[in-house]
Amino acid sequence: MQVMHTHSIMTNIAIRPALPEDAAHIAHFLEVQWGATVMVSRGRLFDVTRLPAFIAIWDGLLVGLITYHIENGECEIVTLDSIVSNMGVGTALIEAVRQAAEHCWRLWLITTNDNLYALGFYQKRGFQLVAVHRNAIELSRQMKPEIPLIGMDGIPIRDEIELEILL
């Protein structure tokens, strides 16, 4: 899949719910972005291809994806990816999930301690850090051994960081 870098505001990008016919494209997108279609969050293993999702389409290409899980009045963002920079795709995808979660009391997510970009991105969009789950990645690696020991910028991946917005 081609990666595009641009710095204009989001134009001609459609955000819509994922449809069954999008499944193969979504699975490929997740494989490219994450190397897998399974994710671990707070000790739970998710096959993200089976979760509800919104996609961003630009010029016929899948350029963004958000997957989420609603349970007990809480909506967890499980994955969020955009392959275009600074065009508002990630923000628009979060807003789509926020609307889908209108009956929930909170929108939350987990990221890892090494993902400094995500920590900044989410806080700029109103999410607050609510918990650090120390050494939680040890359990995650038991469920998904391919999680690397060292992450972004050479930072050891150890902790899950929980962020939320109260709805």
Side-chain angles (χ1 to χ4, degrees):
M1 180 170 286
Q2 181 180 3
V3 175
M4 293 166 271
H5 298 282
T6 182
H7 297 287
S8 63
I9 300 302
M10 189 168 136
T11 56
N12 301 324
I13 296 177
I15 305 293
R16 66 167 174 79
L19 303 171
E21 54 265 30
D22 298 319
H25 294 294
I26 289 171
H28 176 74
F29 187 83
L30 289 164
E31 286 284 346
V32 169
Q33 297 301 308
W34 293 93
T37 59
V38 295
M39 299 293 154
V40 180
S41 172
R42 298 299 308 126
R44 289 183 69 177
L45 190 66
F46 289 99
D47 175 352
V48 289
T49 63
R50 297 182 177 275
L51 294 177
F54 286 93
I55 59 175
I57 303 293
W58 185 28
D59 212 15
L61 297 172
L62 177 62
V63 296
L65 170 71
I66 190 167
T67 62
Y68 62 99
H69 174 73
I70 294 177
E71 184 175 59
N72 298 324
E74 301 181 27
C75 180
E76 178 182 6
I77 294 172
V78 180
T79 66
L80 172 60
D81 292 286
S82 172
I83 62 170
V84 292
S85 300
N86 301 315
M87 292 185 66
V89 171
T91 302
L93 289 167
I94 289 171
E95 187 54 35
V97 169
R98 191 175 184 154
Q99 290 175 18
E102 65 182 339
H103 299 296
C104 295
W105 69 274
R106 80 174 185 143
L107 178 62
W108 68 286
L109 61 100
I110 292 291
T111 191
T112 51
N113 62 285
D114 69 308
N115 198 343
L116 304 179
Y117 177 82
L119 289 167
F121 174 85
Y122 288 115
Q123 289 179 81
K124 288 176 188 174
R125 282 144 190 89
F127 286 81
Q128 293 183 301
L129 281 74
V130 294
V132 175
H133 304 284
R134 294 182 61 183
N135 299 313
I137 301 304
E138 289 177 20
L139 173 62
S140 298
R141 282 195 188 95
Q142 291 173 17
M143 301 172 80
K144 186 179 172 186
E146 60 270 26
I147 298 171
L149 294 173
I150 306 297
M152 298 175 198
D153 299 317
I155 299 171
I157 303 174
R158 290 187 287 252
D159 310 316
E160 289 182 341
I161 311 292
E162 185 173 335
L163 297 99
E164 74 176 13
I165 291 179
L166 299 179
L167 302 176

